[in-house]
Amino acid sequence: METEVVSELMEHLSDKKLEAALKVNTTVRAAMGEFLRDRGFIEIPPVIFSTVTDPLNHPVYDPSFEYEGTRYALTKSMIFHKQIIVQKFPKIFTFSPNIRLEMPEKARTGRHLLEFTQLDLEVKGATREDLIKLGEELFIHTLEKVIEKHSQDLHDLGRSLSVPHAPFKRYKFEDAVKKYGSEFETILSKEAREPFWIVDIPLKEREFYDRESDVSSGILNDMDLIYPEGYCEALSGGEREFDLDRIMERIRRKGQTYEQFKWFLEFARGGLELSTGFGIGIERLVRYICGFERIEDVHPFPKVPGKVSV
Ligand code: ASN
């Protein structure tokens, strides 16, 4: 078993596809960092474990450990840390490693890894509209840099890519469900030639921390960016709930406990202001750019759901 896993890894590490993906990955990170630094963002170091992490809106195994009498979880996303630090530093980003121990059947999607990195950013006082614009500019800038630097690598991979045009098309979540059914994201992604947004996501589809619209009850001021050509979700984000009573009400309606989020609630009690942010998965972006079927091809040490990994 060990020998098999190791020889598979050795073969993977010598794969030309991986080499191209790692070169693209290097440019993607540099381009994104440069774009954000030029706009006054500061980079914060990632949080690997914490007393509080993202509850997510789908089931995963929950790794945690005790240290000196306190229980810590491995980071599923830095959502709460972003919301806390952005109160002091109004434009922040981080390349955040996340651990999400997904169920083995997620391996089928070709876009889930148990360990991945997202570029996670947050802006104080900004609205969803501001962040949609920022997301489009960031995406376009990154693709321009990759195409400029890696036209030969993309050609060798047989990948033809073009820079999309802003503003990207938008679909409201509920309109898309009515027209295409529950698999709307996959259907629309396969049909599309350019990335597009899904906006106005219903409350039950998302975690408690995103802000409910003041005009449409039960609808969140959220957005997802979806890749074309069937690559599905690229980015996910939204305006954050900052009102303590509304936060507590949302936790209660999710059937979650205040105990679980007591550290975050302590900060919220001190007063939070509106912020908006998003996270974009780096491995998924590199997979899309390279045109790979499977996400494990972009990572030197991929952790595929349900598989033994080195
Ligand atoms: N990073 C996402 C956001 O900013 C949250 C997540 O990864 N679950 O909304």
Side-chain angles (χ1 to χ4, degrees), residues 159-214:
R159 178 70 168 147
S160 82
L161 255 196
S162 53
V163 179
H165 302 90
F168 301 167
K169 204 167 171 177
R170 295 185 196 185
Y171 296 89
K172 288 188 178 184
F173 187 100
E174 287 184 332
D175 294 348
V177 173
K178 257 184 228 136
K179 196 155 176 204
Y180 301 95
S182 61
E183 294 302 307
F184 70 89
E185 185 182 308
T186 312
I187 296 169
L188 285 170
S189 174
K190 281 186 181 156
E191 277 179 5
R193 287 291 150 261
E194 297 224 326
F196 61 90
W197 298 100
I198 302 281
V199 296
D200 293 355
I201 299 167
L203 224 128
K204 69 167 181 10
E205 304 289 337
R206 279 297 157 81
E207 299 83 354
F208 75 82
Y209 48 72
D210 285 341
R211 186 162 169 81
E212 189 176 358
S213 160
D214 286 331

Side-chain angles (χ1 to χ4, degrees), residues 53 82 88 117 141 149 162 167 202 209 212 231 256 264 277 302:
T53 194
K82 287 201 303 175
K88 304 269 180 221
T117 297
H141 172 83
K149 276 198 106 158
S162 53
Y209 48 72
E212 189 176 358
Y231 288 95
Q256 288 160 341
F264 173 64

Side-chain angles (χ1 to χ4, degrees), residues 185-289:
E185 185 182 308
T186 312
I187 296 169
L188 285 170
S189 174
K190 281 186 181 156
E191 277 179 5
R193 287 291 150 261
E194 297 224 326
F196 61 90
W197 298 100
I198 302 281
V199 296
D200 293 355
I201 299 167
L203 224 128
K204 69 167 181 10
E205 304 289 337
R206 279 297 157 81
E207 299 83 354
F208 75 82
Y209 48 72
D210 285 341
R211 186 162 169 81
E212 189 176 358
S213 160
D214 286 331
V215 285
S216 317
S217 153
I219 298 295
L220 301 171
N221 292 343
D222 269 8
M223 71 289 199
D224 277 359
L225 182 69
I226 312 295
Y227 290 122
E229 303 171 65
Y231 288 95
C232 292
E233 191 194 295
L235 167 166
S236 173
E239 294 181 6
R240 314 303 177 192
E241 186 50 70
F242 54 88
D243 179 88
L244 179 65
D245 292 339
R246 285 173 63 154
I247 292 174
M248 293 182 73
E249 169 66 11
R250 295 279 302 283
I251 292 177
R252 199 186 56 71
R253 279 165 73 181
K254 279 277 175 210
Q256 288 160 341
T257 64
Y258 300 143
E259 176 63 21
Q260 203 182 332
F261 303 107
K262 64 181 178 194
W263 294 85
F264 173 64
L265 289 172
E266 250 340 274
F267 282 100
R269 227 164 255 127
L272 295 172
E273 285 178 44
L274 172 70
S275 68
T276 303
F278 61 68
I280 176 163
I282 298 297
E283 291 83 354
R284 287 181 177 184
L285 174 54
V286 175
R287 171 191 174 227
Y288 164 69
I289 290 171

